[in-house]
Amino acid sequence: MMKQMGLNEIRKLFLDFFETKGHYVKSSYSLVPENDKSLLLINAGMAPLKNYFMGTEKPPKNRMTTCQKCIRTGDIENVGKTARHATFFEMLGNFSFGDYFKEESIRWGWEFVTEYLKMPLDKVWVTVYEEDDEAFEIWNKKIGVHADRIVRLGKEDNFWEIGVGPCGPCSELYFDRGEKYGCKDPNCKPGCECDRYVEFWNHVFTQFNRDEKGNYNPLPNPNIDTGMGLERVACIMQNVDSIFEVDTIKSLLEEVIKISEQKYGGQDSKIDTSIRIVTDHIRSVTFMVSDGIMPSNEGRGYVLRRLLRRAARHGKLLGIKDTFLTKLVNKVIEISGESYPELVNKKEYINKVIAIEEERFQETIDQGSEILKTYIEELKKNNQIVLSGENAFRLYDTFGFPLELTKEILEEEDMDVDEECFKEEMKRQRERARAARQNTNEEGWKEDIYSTLDATIKSEFKGYEEYELSAKIMAIVKENEVVNSAVTEDIITIILDETPFYPEGGGQVGDKGILYNDQCKIQITDSKKGKNNRIIHFGKVLEGSICVKDSIKASIDIKNRMNTARNHSATHILQSVLRDVLGEHVEQSGSFVTPERLRFDFSHFEALTETELEKIEEMVNQKILKSLSVSTAQMGINEAKEKGATALFGEKYGDRVRVVSMDDYSVELCGGAHVKNTSQIGLFKIINEGGVAAGIRRIEAMTGEKAYKYVKEQEMQIMQIAKVLKTNPKEIVLRVENIVDELKNTQREVEKLKNKLATSELDDILTNVVEIENIKVICHKLSSMDMDTLRNVGDKLKDKLGSGLVALATENEGKVNFIAMATQDVVDKGVHAGNIIKQIAKIAGGGGGGKPTMAQAGAKDVSKIEEALNKVNELVKEQIK
């Protein structure tokens, strides 16, 4: 009898089962794809394994199994409306890279389903590709599935391919939910559009390589790629109709109900939809933030922001007034933390990021409300009751303001919105997004020139201890072609069998240096990691010639390496100091280390104070002066974690890792180059601190000789400033303060004189009054003055005028200032100072606006002042009409 199993139980059972079949159990990869520009986010179990399937990287074992966290947003509009759509899901999979093939995959799949999940035999159906007789024979003859329960389907259903590259037929397992879900057709079976048969496990037999001409060439080592949606199989095992009824997800949904105090499953389908959307999206954003993704306006950061704000939006629709998402984050961590320990480890960080973004969204909602109010005022003024779809979409797209909320506010004013036009705008946006994504799926399968090399060509890095060694040239590439030789002036890349050159990685730039022998000399300008354990050396042949298989000396620029190592070791000390000073929430979110300087990005939610920066700089230098011993060791990943080693967000680590320790103060997983003792770093000097993204700060600093030169340059500048000010360096600050005070007093006197001068001109200006439809209008250009003085003059003119419009302009320091003021009685007749200022500023290449009674603007083109002021009378006429 089929046992009812929890989602976490099914996951463990699957991984344990395939471990018994000789599979390497790999924990889920990050949602952030590594070295794959074709994907924004990992969206399938096999996505992180592409290079293994292509043979450009060697897998840790030829048999692997994973439970991969995935994000898909293509059907985001259906999430919450259906029982099966979700943005976050987990994909169970077992994979073979040229090891076992169809028979083992099918046999183990049947064994797991029938003996471990104990699905009833009469409920399980099988589909195969219509031309795959081999798969049909295995299911029928060797497994014993009756031919009537094996359905042959066409290419659209049972053949997997993405453009060119690896592809092959599929075999899928279906579960029969019973006649009550069916379409009453006596021939109903898998492949039917009704809800009776649920596909839950797809076995892809990757046995062909599709070329550019459309030919399917057999692969010498065919692969297996299977995928079983964990949530979907949990629905089957728990006999529920919706993923939102699965045990773990249901407990999260119940938390949403509790916070919102709403009833679920009642008469209001909109409430149910909002509850499901919040439930799904909070899972997605929690896992995305745990993998180091930050909210932003582009890329995967935009996906995160959109999901987070959509969840917050639907919380508002449920009547939740305060911020609430972090309460749900803690529930997600409680449910999934045992299987995904990164959630527990990053709990404080995840909560901080999500809390800040939700608070910011509250502010944008407030902004949107203000904009909507102005739209409503315009509608009333023009005796209209329908908001344009363009404006509704602008609110949605720019401010994240939901259409439902726009409609609700409009209804209170007995108004409506043009929903058809809004939908058209949404459609156009989707088409733009689709066009931007077009064909990107194929990118990940494209080969680079190095993939054509023999798989045995690899590089061994020996540069931790050796700075020069003898090596053999294994490959040369020139102008994107593999060649056998190169001569003077050729720009090339080279692969050696052994190398002391550190390839760019972990935030550290690649080494520079030379390759040489009796016949040639090559300048190496950079070194990078290639696929399949290769190190690519970028260089230029300075003299002579080289050939593949030549022996050559490889020598790095030692001074360059040491400067880089100083900066790299300093980042390790800096991270530990930041945690000591700012708190344990600090996590490294990126770094960049060169011989000249270091850059360190970290999670923190406000700008650092001068006091904090001084303390950080002082503490780092104290650790340097303590001469901490720097040691490295290779160990298992679990042992490293037990030692308390910190790791970089989103970084891919194997079972064996390199741990860099600075006595007991700093312990990190790192493959980079380091000093032997912190005293070798010398001086540490912070040169800049600032924000780079929401919740992410950046410190830039220098060490060693570069830091000393920086300090000397600062000292020389101080000496020069003191000389100009005719004082000694110790009294510079006092001297500058005195000069600033003197300057302020002088400026105040100048402004007084300008005001007096402007006031004396008032009577002359008033002689230029014109009347338009009984409204007095003054347009005038004044000599150079700032905006405050211009406003004062405008106020005085308006008072003297009593009733009318004043429009003034002035040139100040090469820029244009505009101001417009109207008395209330002319505003009541239709005059709007804000709209006038907006139009005339545009003429002079600027912008601005304001209220009907007062507005101001700035512009760039001083030659257009007269033209802009001449436009005022025309605009007044239009407004009165």
Side-chain angles (χ1 to χ4, degrees):
M1 182 178 176
M2 188 166 71
K3 178 185 174 186
Q4 192 172 61
M5 292 184 186
L7 182 140
N8 290 329
E9 185 183 358
I10 296 168
R11 185 197 298 110
K12 186 176 187 307
L13 188 70
F14 181 90
L15 297 175
D16 288 349
F17 171 79
F18 278 100
E19 188 172 27
T20 67
K21 303 300 183 184
H23 288 63
Y24 165 64
V25 180
K26 174 73 178 73
S27 59
S28 175
Y29 290 89
S30 168
L31 285 165
V32 180
E34 185 183 12
N35 299 325
D36 186 351
K37 294 179 181 178
S38 70
L39 290 176
L40 204 58
L41 293 157
I42 294 298
N43 60 6
M46 58 74 61
L49 311 174
K50 281 183 183 178
N51 289 337
Y52 300 156
F53 283 114
M54 294 174 67
T56 55
E57 279 188 48
K58 186 177 180 182
K61 196 170 182 180
N62 287 336
R63 298 180 181 185
M64 284 180 67
T65 184
T66 64
C67 181
Q68 177 62 44
K69 49 196 175 185
C70 302
I71 297 279
R72 286 183 192 169
T73 57
D75 292 320
I76 191 171
E77 299 301 331
N78 289 320
V79 172
K81 296 178 182 177
T82 72
R84 61 188 180 85
H85 282 97
T87 57
F88 176 84
F89 62 96
E90 298 176 68
M91 185 64 75
L92 298 165
N94 59 286
F95 311 95
S96 166
F97 309 107
D99 187 8
Y100 63 83
F101 197 45
K102 288 183 186 178
E103 183 170 343
E104 293 89 342
S105 180
I106 289 170
R107 187 178 299 282
W108 291 334
W110 187 254
E111 180 184 351
F112 182 73
V113 165
T114 58
E115 296 182 26
Y116 286 77
L117 296 182
K118 299 191 182 300
M119 289 186 185
L121 298 182
D122 63 334
K123 293 287 186 183
V124 182
W125 285 65
V126 174
T127 68
V128 297
Y129 176 49
E130 58 190 358
E131 297 178 11
D132 193 355
D133 295 330
E134 181 186 7
F136 184 93
E137 291 295 314
I138 295 169
W139 280 114
N140 181 233
K141 304 295 184 187
K142 297 188 177 181
I143 303 301
V145 178
H146 196 279
D148 290 344
R149 302 181 74 80
I150 306 172
V151 181
R152 291 180 185 261
L153 294 176
K155 203 169 190 180
E156 186 177 333
D157 296 295
N158 274 59
F159 196 95
W160 182 87
E161 62 181 341
I162 305 177
V164 298
C167 57
C170 310
S171 180
E172 297 180 322
L173 290 171
Y174 282 76
F175 186 82
D176 181 1
R177 302 170 72 206
E179 290 183 7
K180 66 178 181 178
Y181 295 98
C183 57
K184 309 303 181 186
D185 185 335
N187 295 316
C188 180
K189 56 187 176 183
C192 181
E193 293 296 321
C194 73
D195 293 331
R196 177 171 177 175
Y197 297 94
V198 178
E199 180 267 313
F200 66 92
W201 199 353
N202 187 15
H203 291 240
V204 180
F205 311 128
T206 315
Q207 61 189 89
F208 301 112
N209 186 64
R210 186 174 187 264
D211 62 26
E212 299 283 354
K213 296 179 180 178
N215 300 313
Y216 293 90
N217 306 302
L219 289 169
N221 298 303
N223 305 311
I224 290 293
D225 159 26
T226 85
M228 176 159 63
L230 178 56
E231 291 84 356
R232 188 172 291 189
V233 78
C235 283
I236 295 170
M237 299 306 296
Q238 295 175 28
N239 193 29
V240 294
D241 295 338
S242 164
I243 61 171
F244 296 98
E245 296 173 52
V246 170
D247 60 332
T248 52
I249 304 173
K250 185 180 179 183
S251 68
L252 180 58
L253 182 138
E254 287 171 348
E255 192 71 13
V256 179
I257 295 169
K258 179 182 171 184
I259 293 169
S260 65
E261 299 180 350
Q262 293 283 0
K263 185 178 179 183
Y264 182 72
Q267 298 297 313
D268 195 334
S269 63
K270 289 183 178 178
I271 287 176
D272 290 355
T273 297
S274 288
I275 289 172
R276 288 192 290 263
I277 286 171
V278 174
T279 301
D280 168 77
H281 287 9
I282 197 62
R283 295 175 77 213
S284 295
V285 301
T286 301
F287 276 92
M288 289 173 79
V289 175
S290 79
D291 280 342
I293 300 169
M294 292 294 297
S296 71
N297 289 326
E298 58 186 14
R300 59 184 68 96
Y302 177 72
V303 175
L304 169 60
R305 173 165 282 169
R306 186 183 178 200
L307 292 172
L308 194 153
R309 292 187 168 189
R310 202 163 184 257
R313 228 170 39 225
H314 280 274
K316 275 190 171 289
L317 293 176
L318 290 169
I320 305 173
K321 292 184 172 57
D322 299 323
T323 55
F324 67 97
L325 292 179
T326 53
K327 296 174 185 175
L328 298 175
V329 166
N330 293 329
K331 189 67 177 177
V332 174
I333 295 172
E334 177 190 320
I335 292 165
S336 304
E338 186 174 344
S339 300
Y340 296 97
E342 64 269 24
L343 295 176
V344 178
N345 297 337
K346 313 295 182 189
K347 182 176 180 178
E348 183 187 356
Y349 173 82
I350 297 167
N351 274 302
K352 277 274 190 183
V353 171
I354 290 175
I356 286 173
E357 183 65 17
E358 187 179 8
E359 285 165 8
R360 287 183 176 173
F361 178 60
Q362 297 277 29
E363 293 171 10
T364 63
I365 283 284
D366 293 339
Q367 277 182 293
S369 297
E370 287 301 313
I371 299 296
L372 182 54
K373 281 180 187 175
T374 64
Y375 289 158
I376 290 171
E377 286 174 12
E378 289 289 327
L379 290 172
K380 286 180 178 178
K381 185 174 149 186
N382 296 313
N383 296 317
Q384 295 175 342
I385 59 170
V386 179
L387 180 70
S388 71
E390 290 91 347
N391 281 342
F393 179 76
R394 194 172 294 115
L395 280 168
Y396 170 81
D397 196 45
T398 306
F399 298 100
F401 207 76
L403 179 64
E404 297 88 346
L405 198 52
T406 299
K407 287 171 65 179
E408 187 180 315
I409 293 170
L410 287 169
E411 282 169 11
E412 292 172 2
E413 302 285 344
D414 294 322
M415 293 179 174
D416 203 350
V417 63
D418 185 346
E419 286 193 62
E420 287 304 313
C421 182
F422 178 87
K423 288 174 183 175
E424 282 298 314
E425 292 291 333
M426 285 290 289
K427 183 181 176 184
R428 279 193 278 272
Q429 186 195 55
R430 288 195 194 100
E431 286 170 354
R432 288 193 296 269
R434 196 177 298 119
R437 292 195 305 266
Q438 198 167 17
N439 296 326
T440 55
N441 282 339
E442 296 180 20
E443 295 287 328
W445 294 104
K446 287 186 179 177
E447 296 182 347
D448 62 23
I449 189 61
Y450 302 104
S451 64
T452 62
L453 298 173
D454 191 299
T456 60
I457 294 178
K458 301 180 186 300
S459 307
E460 185 179 357
F461 175 65
K462 292 191 171 182
Y464 289 131
E465 301 298 334
E466 297 184 60
Y467 296 159
E468 181 174 280
L469 52 76
S470 296
K472 182 183 287 186
I473 295 175
M474 304 303 294
I476 303 170
V477 172
K478 182 176 75 171
E479 296 177 354
N480 208 35
E481 286 188 13
V482 177
V483 296
N484 287 318
S485 62
V487 297
T488 304
E489 296 299 316
D490 281 350
I491 306 296
I492 58 174
T493 58
I494 296 176
I495 298 173
L496 306 175
D497 62 342
E498 296 180 349
T499 181
F501 285 78
Y502 179 86
E504 181 178 338
Q508 179 179 323
V509 296
D511 275 332
K512 299 177 181 180
I514 59 168
L515 305 180
Y516 67 97
N517 59 22
D518 293 340
Q519 286 78 42
C520 75
K521 183 177 181 181
I522 305 161
Q523 183 73 50
I524 300 299
T525 56
D526 200 1
S527 315
K528 295 183 184 294
K529 291 178 182 176
K531 294 176 181 177
N532 204 25
N533 295 321
R534 292 168 181 152
I535 295 174
I536 316 296
H537 304 75
F538 294 76
K540 179 180 180 180
V541 183
L542 298 180
E543 56 186 64
S545 63
I546 54 162
C547 296
V548 173
K549 301 299 181 186
D550 279 358
S551 293
I552 202 157
K553 286 277 188 182
S555 178
I556 67 169
D557 182 330
I558 297 174
K559 183 179 180 181
N560 194 70
R561 164 72 78 83
M562 280 305 298
N563 284 337
T564 304
R566 288 185 180 96
N567 284 328
H568 202 151
S569 296
T571 64
H572 285 220
I573 300 174
L574 176 60
Q575 177 166 216
S576 295
V577 167
L578 285 169
R579 288 187 171 186
D580 288 343
V581 174
L582 303 177
E584 287 298 314
H585 65 275
V586 168
E587 294 283 352
Q588 180 180 347
S589 61
S591 68
F592 187 60
V593 179
T594 73
E596 287 74 33
R597 64 174 61 193
L598 65 91
R599 189 179 75 204
F600 188 79
D601 296 345
F602 58 98
S603 54
H604 190 57
F605 308 97
E606 57 190 352
L608 274 61
T609 64
E610 285 187 23
T611 302
E612 286 171 334
L613 284 170
E614 285 174 10
K615 188 173 182 181
I616 289 163
E617 187 174 274
E618 182 184 353
M619 286 180 66
V620 171
N621 280 300
Q622 285 174 352
K623 296 298 177 184
I624 290 170
L625 291 172
K626 280 189 174 181
S627 300
L628 303 177
S629 175
V630 181
S631 62
T632 61
Q634 295 282 343
M635 62 184 71
I637 184 71
N638 292 329
E639 184 185 350
K641 288 177 180 176
E642 287 172 9
K643 281 193 71 172
T646 56
L648 181 63
F649 254 166
E651 188 74 11
K652 182 177 172 183
Y653 296 102
D655 286 339
R656 297 287 296 174
V657 292
R658 182 172 180 259
V659 177
V660 177
S661 303
M662 297 179 181
D663 286 351
D664 295 327
Y665 186 65
S666 168
V667 183
E668 288 191 38
L669 304 185
C670 181
H674 289 276
V675 296
K676 301 294 183 185
N677 188 288
T678 61
S679 62
Q680 291 178 285
I681 297 172
L683 176 65
F684 173 85
K685 181 64 185 170
I686 294 175
I687 56 174
N688 190 41
E689 188 275 337
V692 290
I696 298 293
R697 308 298 299 177
R698 171 175 291 170
I699 284 179
E700 294 179 85
M702 292 178 172
T703 63
E705 183 182 358
K706 299 289 183 182
Y708 173 74
K709 285 183 178 178
Y710 177 81
V711 171
K712 285 297 292 181
E713 286 170 5
Q714 297 290 303
E715 185 182 351
M716 287 300 295
Q717 285 182 355
I718 290 170
M719 296 296 288
Q720 288 171 356
I721 291 167
K723 189 175 180 181
V724 170
L725 296 176
K726 297 178 180 178
T727 187
N728 66 62
K730 290 182 180 180
E731 294 180 357
I732 282 179
V733 175
L734 181 61
R735 181 75 180 110
V736 169
E737 285 175 348
N738 290 335
I739 291 172
V740 169
D741 287 340
E742 289 171 13
L743 184 59
K744 284 179 180 178
N745 290 331
T746 303
Q747 286 174 335
R748 278 194 287 268
E749 289 300 318
V750 169
E751 291 306 319
K752 283 180 184 178
L753 290 170
K754 280 184 178 180
N755 266 318
K756 282 182 182 179
L757 185 62
T759 303
S760 68
E761 292 181 32
L762 291 182
D763 291 337
D764 291 338
I765 295 171
L766 285 166
T767 61
N768 296 322
V769 173
V770 297
E771 284 202 16
I772 299 169
E773 304 289 340
N774 295 321
I775 292 175
K776 296 175 183 175
V777 179
I778 291 178
C779 298
H780 194 77
K781 177 185 175 184
L782 292 160
S783 57
S784 177
M785 59 180 64
D786 62 20
M787 190 62 84
D788 286 338
T789 307
L790 196 63
R791 271 198 299 268
N792 289 336
V793 174
D795 282 331
K796 288 173 182 176
L797 280 170
K798 189 178 72 168
D799 290 343
K800 282 183 174 289
L801 204 60
S803 170
L805 172 81
V806 175
L808 303 175
T810 182
E811 178 189 348
N812 188 43
E813 296 180 355
K815 295 182 180 178
V816 184
N817 288 331
F818 286 109
I819 194 161
M821 294 177 172
T823 56
Q824 187 60 50
D825 60 316
V826 301
V827 170
D828 294 339
K829 292 179 182 179
V831 172
H832 193 296
N835 292 340
I836 288 172
I837 212 78
K838 191 185 296 182
Q839 292 293 323
I840 66 173
K842 195 183 291 183
I843 292 170
K851 299 176 182 178
T853 54
M854 189 274 180
Q856 64 186 49
K860 299 174 184 176
D861 192 346
V862 296
S863 68
K864 298 285 186 179
I865 291 177
E866 297 291 348
E867 182 183 340
L869 289 174
N870 289 338
K871 181 75 173 174
V872 173
N873 293 347
E874 180 186 331
L875 293 171
V876 172
K877 286 180 185 177
E878 289 176 5
Q879 290 184 347
I880 295 169
K881 288 178 183 178

